[in-house]
Amino acid sequence: EDPFWDPNDFMNMGYSTVFLKPIAYCMNIEDDYSIYHETQQDGVVRIKIEPCRPDGTKIAEDDEGPYDEIENPKDLIGKRLDVLVNIQYARGLNSKYSKEVYCEFEMFKAPNPQHDEGRFQTATMSGTTNPNFNYSQQVTWPSVDADVVQHLETGSVYFHMLGLQDDQSGGSAPTKRKLLSAQEAEAIQQDLKRKDEALEKEKQRLYSLCDQCI
C-alpha cells in the first residue's frame, strides 16, 4: 500500500469531453457523454449547455431572445454571452468511488469568481454509483472576444468526475491523479480520436447539426 495515500483524498475518476461548436451558433447541447479514465470508458454523464438570458432564465423556442441576430460566430464579438450548464446525472460510475462523488469543470475565459482556481463544482453525492446531481450554473462572458469565438468553434470543455474511495472496497490504495490541464487533456483527446469511434461519431454529429444552420 502507498504510505502517503490519504483515504480522504478525492481521486480523478475520469473526464468527459463536450465540443462547444453549437454554442458558437447559440444552439443547445444535450447528451449522455462517456466518462474516460485513461483510454477506457467508465460511465456516462448527462450534460446540457444552453444559451440563456442575462438574468439566467431560459429562452423558450418561440420567444425573442438576445441572440436572434447571431448568424455567424463572429457576430458574438463584443457582445455578452450567457449559458446555463446543467449536469443532470451520472450513471455506471466505478463502485470503488461510491463513498462520495462530484463533478467539476472550467470554462475558457469565464472563471468562477467564488473558486480559487476558477472551477465550477456540483454538490457532493454520497453512497451511489448513479448520482443525480441536478446541477445548474450560469456562466457568463461579459464581452466575447476573438479568442472565445475560436474556442467555441473549435474547442471543448472537460468535465472531471472525482470520487472518494469506499473504505470497504478493498485492494491497494489507488494512484493519486491530479486534474489534467487543458493542454494535457487535449493531448490525450487527440490520441483518443484515433482510437474511439464513438467519440468521433459524436463530434461529427454536432458538426453536421451546426453546418445545417449556416
Side-chain angles (χ1 to χ4, degrees):
E1 295 185 358
D2 184 353
F4 300 103
W5 173 60
D6 183 347
N8 294 315
D9 279 347
F10 278 86
M11 314 306 296
N12 189 2
M13 300 165 61
Y15 70 96
S16 295
T17 305
V18 178
F19 294 96
L20 295 173
K21 190 171 184 180
I23 300 299
Y25 293 89
C26 299
M27 298 173 58
N28 296 353
I29 299 171
E30 183 174 17
D31 212 337
D32 287 336
Y33 292 90
S34 296
I35 299 168
Y36 285 93
H37 178 70
E38 296 180 343
T39 59
Q40 301 298 316
Q41 182 180 350
D42 203 357
V44 297
V45 59
R46 183 75 176 186
I47 296 170
K48 182 177 183 179
I49 306 176
E50 58 183 322
C52 66
R53 300 183 188 278
D55 63 1
T57 57
K58 296 182 179 182
I59 304 171
E61 186 175 350
D62 297 331
D63 288 350
E64 292 185 2
Y67 313 111
D68 289 347
E69 297 181 358
I70 302 299
E71 297 181 355
N72 185 288
K74 292 182 180 180
D75 295 338
L76 289 169
I77 294 178
K79 294 182 172 61
R80 172 174 173 146
L81 175 60
D82 296 88
V83 298
L84 284 177
V85 179
N86 296 280
I87 304 173
Q88 300 174 20
Y89 57 75
R91 295 292 183 264
L93 300 181
N94 191 326
S95 60
K96 182 167 62 175
Y97 302 105
S98 63
K99 185 175 182 180
E100 293 184 15
V101 62
Y102 68 89
C103 184
E104 71 175 26
F105 67 97
E106 55 185 314
M107 281 288 191
F108 178 73
K109 286 196 170 184
N112 180 1
Q114 299 180 354
H115 192 288
D116 291 343
E117 297 181 354
R119 297 191 181 102
F120 298 92
Q121 179 182 318
T122 69
T124 300
M125 301 289 106
S126 302
T128 179
T129 59
N130 300 304
N132 293 314
F133 294 115
N134 295 319
Y135 170 88
S136 182
Q137 173 66 51
Q138 181 177 353
V139 177
T140 300
W141 289 272
S143 181
V144 174
D145 61 21
D147 290 340
V148 171
V149 168
Q150 182 178 12
H151 182 75
L152 293 177
E153 286 195 278
T154 63
S156 54
V157 58
Y158 301 97
F159 290 82
H160 291 272
M161 201 68 62
L162 292 100
L164 193 61
Q165 186 171 15
D166 189 339
D167 295 337
Q168 305 302 317
S169 62
S172 59
T175 302
K176 186 172 181 180
R177 297 182 182 276
K178 68 181 181 65
L179 291 181
L180 299 176
S181 68
Q183 292 80 11
E184 290 170 329
E186 187 66 29
I188 293 175
Q189 185 59 31
Q190 291 302 320
D191 182 59
L192 285 175
K193 284 181 183 178
R194 296 190 295 268
K195 301 177 180 178
D196 186 354
E197 294 180 358
L199 185 59
E200 183 65 23
K201 182 178 179 180
E202 170 64 12
K203 177 182 175 182
Q204 294 301 326
R205 185 184 70 82
L206 289 176
Y207 278 20
S208 176
L209 180 63
C210 292
D211 291 338
Q212 295 174 13
C213 299
I214 300 177

